[in-house]
Each structure stands twice: as C-alpha cells, then as structure tokens.
Amino acid sequence: MTLRALHDAARRTLDPVHYDYVAGGAAEERVLSANERAFDRCLLLPRVLCGSETRDTTACLPGAQRAAPVIVAPTAFHRLMHPDGEGATARAAAAEGAVLVTGTAATTAVDAVVAAAREAAPDPAVWFQLYLHPRAEVTETLVRRAERAGCTALVVTVDSAVFGRHTRDLRHGFTELPPGHAAENMRDLPGAPPGSLTDIPMSAAPTWRDFGEIPRMTALPVLVKGVLHPADARLAVEHGASGVIVSNHGGRQCDAVPAALDCLPAVAEAVAGRIPVLMDGGVRRGSDIAVALALGATAVGVGRPVMWGLAADGEAGVRAVLATLRDEYDHTLALCGGRHNADLTRDMVVRGGETW
Ligand SMILES: Cc1cc2nc3c(=O)[nH]c(=O)nc-3n(C[C@H](O)[C@H](O)[C@H](O)COP(=O)(O)O)c2cc1C
Ligand SMILES: CC(C)CC(=O)C(=O)O
C-alpha cells in the first residue's frame, strides 16, 4: 500500500477525535502545511554516468552505527492508533533497521518498548525522548529508566517550554486519554496525572545549562530536538550534544516559524560536520529524504506517516511505511547517480522555477 492509501485507511479506522489529534497542528496550521510544501518546492538535479549497481543507504547515527536513513520520530500515545501500540511500532522499526525514538508520552513503558524491539532484531536502536522536567531529579529518574531499559541514545526536546495550542483538540475538548491509557513512563513520578493529554510536565524556562546537565549525567549520546536557529545549533555542540534535530514539532508548537526543511541548510552550515544533523517535518516520500540529505541531514524523522501505518495495519502497517520510504529513497539515489548518501550534495537541489 502507498503511504497515501495507509493514511486514507487510518482516517477511516480512527475515532475522528484521535485522527485529528495526530493530523492537526497549532493555531491556523500554517507551519503544518508549510513543512510539506517546502519539499514540494524542491527538485533534484541528478548527476549522470556515475552510479552503481548497488547502493549503501545506511546512516551512521549516535547509538546506531548502520541505521536506515529514516528514523521514527517521537510521537505520543501509540495505543490511540492501535491496541498493540508502541510494541508494534518497536517490532516494525527494529525489523526495518530504523531507529525508533520512544518517549515520555508513550502509552507503553520504555523497558517494554525495548523488549519488543528485541523480539524483531538482536541489536535494535531505541532512543528515549524526554523534556527537561521542572524538577531535575525527575529528569534524572527518566534518564536512568532509559539507560536500564537498554536505550542507545537520548533525545531532549527543547521546543516546548509551553504546550502548543492544537486547534482541533481545543475544538473537540480532547484533554484526557481514554480510560485504560496512560503515559506509562510517568506513572510513578511526581507531576501530572499520567492520563492527561497536555500535562506531561515540562520546565517552563529551561536553559542551555539545564540541557548541559544531561550529557554530564549519562554515558549515552544526547541529541537535542527542536532547533531552528543556527546559533542554537552552535550552542548545542558547545553544551555536549551528540546530534541536532532540526524540527518545528510537526507544526504543533509555534505557528509562525519556517518549514523545518528551510532551516536545515543554515543549521548544517553552523554545525559544520562536528555532530550529525537530523531533520523532521513533512517527509512523505523517498525523494524528500534525498532532498534533506543533500541539504545536510544525516537522516530524517517521520512522525505522522508512522502513526497512519500503525492505525491502518499495526506492525505490518508501520513496516510498510518504513520499507516504502527506504525503497523509494534507494530508487531516487540510483536515479541521481549516487552510491552513498554523501553523494547527494547541496548543488543537486533546486527550487521550482529558479533554474531557468
Ligand atoms: C501526534 C504527535 C505526537 C507527538 N509527540 C511528540 C512528543 O511526545 N515528543 C516530541 O518531541 N515530539 C512529538 N511530536 C513531534 C514529532 O516528533 C515530529 O517532530 C513531527 O511529527 C514531524 O513531523 P511529521 O509528522 O510531518 O513527520 C509529535 C507529533 C505528533 C504528530
Ligand atoms: C503529550 C505531548 C507532549 C505530545 C506532543 O508533543 C504533541 O502532541 O505534539
């Protein structure tokens, strides 16, 4: 099934309130649509007579040496999509060799997520996403939990000092998870009730100093997610980040920022190869992956497409999404005369209408 067919199937299957929770963005959803439009505007200028019969599309990422170039971005509450929840996503990602970023707002505890991934592959890469908690000792408890579970990296999301205003959720009055669902990693921690949608506790005034504590407290690599400004990318390197994820949270936080793709080149330039740069937001086809890699990303994340695959067909649906994207990307790389991801370079991306 194509990604579009999986999306349509998910829309038919899901409670419309849950569909809108995933599909929606903040405010007027300007950024939500800008993320996809930014890819639509980008075209590839292939090189010819330089390809190879076989290609290596693996990416070297923190805690995942030979990973698929597409990773599963952290998204909350997978059990809203399918009763198998994060377990199904984890098995699918591991089977496809893709990093899964599970997170604080998962409806399955992190140790069970890693155990599920290990059912599908001997050495899966599961990263754990967290927010800086108002109480540093709670942040540390989550870090230790992820370490014990066997996660291979941490992702600290820094674009959420306040919770985004999701127009569709506000319209539906969707504030509580259905009975039986909870943010399992928060269950025995102080703070919000784990069944509340918007009350995953996050520090309202986190600083780079607070971020810098995390790489100091753990041997795991720590990536920072939600960077758009190149100056912040430099600060991330200075404060011990092992990777930067260029992201506007899928258009769910500030509705006046640029498309994530449009922020990527300046961030990649600022980081200058010192640590990997990833991006997410609006990736919907293999050629989008090629564009992002050409503009400086080591890998891309996908959020909503994975949720649609999960809703449409559980583990098999997520596998279909990841396999389709990887196969389309490999095909595009071949058509662009590339053998490795690094063969895609910035001069090979042009904006529609600007080449003649
Ligand atoms: C339903 C949903 C839940 C999300 N939950 C989280 C989260 O808990 N933590 C986080 O850092 N990002 C979260 N995100 C943002 C994603 O990690 C990612 O940045 C975004 O979905 C990428 O855009 P895409 O959906 O266009 O691929 C969420 C996104 C969606 C759609
Ligand atoms: C529970 C939230 C923290 C999940 C989130 O980041 C989102 O819905 O965008």
Side-chain angles (χ1 to χ4, degrees):
M1 276 218 268
T2 62
L3 264 57
R4 186 176 292 273
L6 286 164
H7 186 167
D8 290 343
R11 198 195 322 248
R12 284 195 302 273
T13 310
L14 288 170
D15 175 332
V17 173
H18 298 164
Y19 173 81
D20 271 351
Y21 169 64
V22 174
E28 294 167 47
E29 304 190 335
R30 287 199 295 166
V31 177
L32 174 67
S33 51
N35 278 346
E36 289 187 18
R37 267 206 326 272
F39 280 106
D40 291 342
R41 280 202 315 269
C42 283
L43 306 173
L44 288 161
L45 209 50
R47 300 301 307 268
V48 295
L49 299 178
C50 55
S52 123
E53 269 173 50
T54 56
R55 289 157 301 281
D56 176 9
T57 59
T58 56
C60 183
L61 298 174
Q65 309 262 287
R66 287 182 58 76
V70 46
I71 79 168
V72 178
T75 47
F77 315 135
H78 287 199
R79 282 184 206 269
L80 289 180
M81 298 293 102
H82 192 278
D84 295 346
E86 287 82 2
T89 316
R91 284 188 293 275
E96 295 298 333
V99 172
L100 165 67
V101 192
T102 191
T104 307
T107 40
T108 309
V110 59
D111 49 344
V113 173
V114 176
R118 286 185 178 145
E119 287 167 19
D123 206 12
V126 179
W127 298 353
F128 186 76
Q129 177 270 327
L130 69 162
Y131 299 94
L132 293 165
H133 193 278
R135 288 168 54 180
E137 67 274 18
V138 177
T139 306
E140 177 152 8
T141 303
L142 285 169
V143 170
R144 300 291 169 240
R145 205 165 273 185
E147 286 173 335
R148 264 199 315 277
C151 290
T152 62
L154 300 174
V155 174
V156 179
T157 299
V158 295
D159 58 15
S160 304
V162 288
F163 197 80
R165 292 190 177 141
H166 302 167
T167 312
R168 302 187 204 197
D169 298 345
L170 294 168
R171 194 188 321 129
H172 294 308
F174 185 45
T175 55
E176 295 293 317
L177 292 174
H181 297 290
E184 292 297 335
N185 294 306
M186 298 301 296
R187 191 173 272 291
D188 47 356
L189 296 177
S196 163
L197 205 66
T198 52
D199 284 348
I200 301 288
M202 309 167 190
S203 172
T207 64
W208 278 109
R209 222 176 123 133
D210 299 330
F211 171 80
E213 292 300 324
I214 314 264
R216 261 196 290 281
M217 75 171 67
T218 180
L220 292 179
V222 183
L223 295 91
V224 56
K225 173 172 181 280
V227 167
L228 299 175
H229 199 298
D232 282 332
R234 275 182 224 107
L235 285 165
V237 177
E238 284 164 26
H239 286 83
S242 295
V244 173
I245 306 178
V246 177
S247 170
N248 54 33
H249 214 110
R252 294 162 76 85
Q253 290 296 116
C254 180
D255 198 34
V257 298
L261 182 70
D262 290 336
C263 297
L264 172 64
V267 167
E269 210 162 285
V271 168
R274 289 174 289 175
I275 55 176
V277 175
L278 289 79
M279 73 78 58
D280 71 33
V283 174
R284 301 290 179 264
R285 32 174 126 80
S287 61
D288 296 345
I289 303 173
V291 165
L293 267 51
L295 293 180
T298 301
V300 301
V302 276
R304 293 178 183 86
V306 167
M307 296 294 255
W308 304 144
L310 182 61
D313 200 13
E315 180 182 340
V318 176
R319 280 197 74 162
V321 167
L322 296 172
T324 300
L325 286 171
R326 199 198 34 217
D327 175 63
E328 286 179 2
Y329 168 61
D330 177 70
H331 189 70
T332 305
L333 184 62
L335 290 170
C336 286
R339 178 188 196 127
H340 303 283
N341 300 339
D343 295 332
L344 296 167
T345 48
R346 204 158 148 170
D347 54 290
M348 294 168 70
V349 179
V350 293
R351 303 273 188 125
E354 287 174 19
T355 49
W356 55 85

